[in-house]
Amino acid sequence: MIHVHTYEKWWIALTIVMLVAFTAAISVSAFANGIQLPSPEARVDPKTIAQTPPFDKPGLRELSPGKYEAYILAQASPWKFYPAEIRVKVGSTVTFYVTSVDVQHGFKIFDTNVNMQILPGQVSKLAHTFDKVGEFPYACAEYCGVGHQNMFGKVIVEP
Ligand SMILES: [Cu+2]
């Protein structure tokens, strides 16, 4: 019979209690509260997406005064975002739809909460209201190859 030290037994018991508690917390949040991982807005074919509307003409669409949709393509080799500049009036809400034509990228707009993973084959969507005048640069936030540092652009918020 192996002798297990008393403190060791407590730690084993505590570990089991913690595992049960964490499993219960995850189950409650997933099933009772319905919390999920973000899911793709749409599934697309990365090989043809650059020729498929609305991504064949990437850029800003005005839905109504102060409400916009921005369709953005991320691409490696050459490493670029299309478009690299977006211009809106202060107070505008922009819903970003971003996808990749090749590898995994990121889309992060500095000084905002916009920071999405951009995967080939799916569209990532997030809305943001620009309440401050200024320039908000965006950049790729996932290392995507030797030209990664060239992937940037900016949202210009005008008065
Ligand atoms: Cu990238």
Side-chain angles (χ1 to χ4, degrees):
M1 186 76 186
I2 305 168
H3 173 72
V4 180
H5 195 275
T6 313
Y7 287 164
E8 198 69 36
K9 282 183 190 162
W10 289 0
W11 279 116
I12 292 168
L14 182 65
T15 325
I16 292 166
V17 168
M18 284 165 68
L19 277 175
V20 170
F22 294 153
T23 307
I26 291 170
S27 304
V28 167
S29 58
F31 298 108
N33 299 344
I35 295 170
Q36 306 176 337
L37 288 171
S39 53
E41 168 66 11
R43 299 272 183 198
V44 294
D45 182 351
K47 289 194 183 70
T48 58
I49 189 63
Q51 289 81 47
T52 310
F55 285 99
D56 59 335
K57 291 187 185 71
L60 207 60
R61 311 263 189 288
E62 188 171 19
L63 302 177
S64 61
K67 291 249 178 290
Y68 295 91
E69 284 178 343
Y71 291 91
I72 298 176
L73 283 174
Q75 169 192 302
S77 188
W79 283 261
K80 258 175 176 295
F81 281 114
Y82 297 98
E85 191 181 293
I86 290 170
R87 232 171 239 276
V88 291
K89 286 259 184 278
V90 69
S92 298
T93 300
V94 183
T95 306
F96 294 92
Y97 294 86
V98 192
T99 190
S100 166
V101 301
D102 40 46
V103 297
Q104 181 175 327
H105 297 283
F107 182 74
K108 176 184 166 72
I109 307 178
F110 292 83
D111 299 325
T112 71
N113 280 335
V114 178
N115 189 0
M116 298 189 283
Q117 228 173 3
I118 310 304
L119 299 167
Q122 70 181 51
V123 177
S124 301
K125 174 190 173 188
L126 193 61
H128 182 74
T129 302
F130 291 90
D131 289 327
K132 273 186 258 162
V133 173
E135 290 193 358
F136 297 83
Y138 48 86
C140 180
E142 299 268 351
Y143 183 71
C144 58
V146 295
H148 167 66
Q149 72 282 356
N150 298 327
M151 292 192 71
F152 56 84
K154 61 187 169 189
V155 179
I156 300 169
V157 183
E158 297 172 328

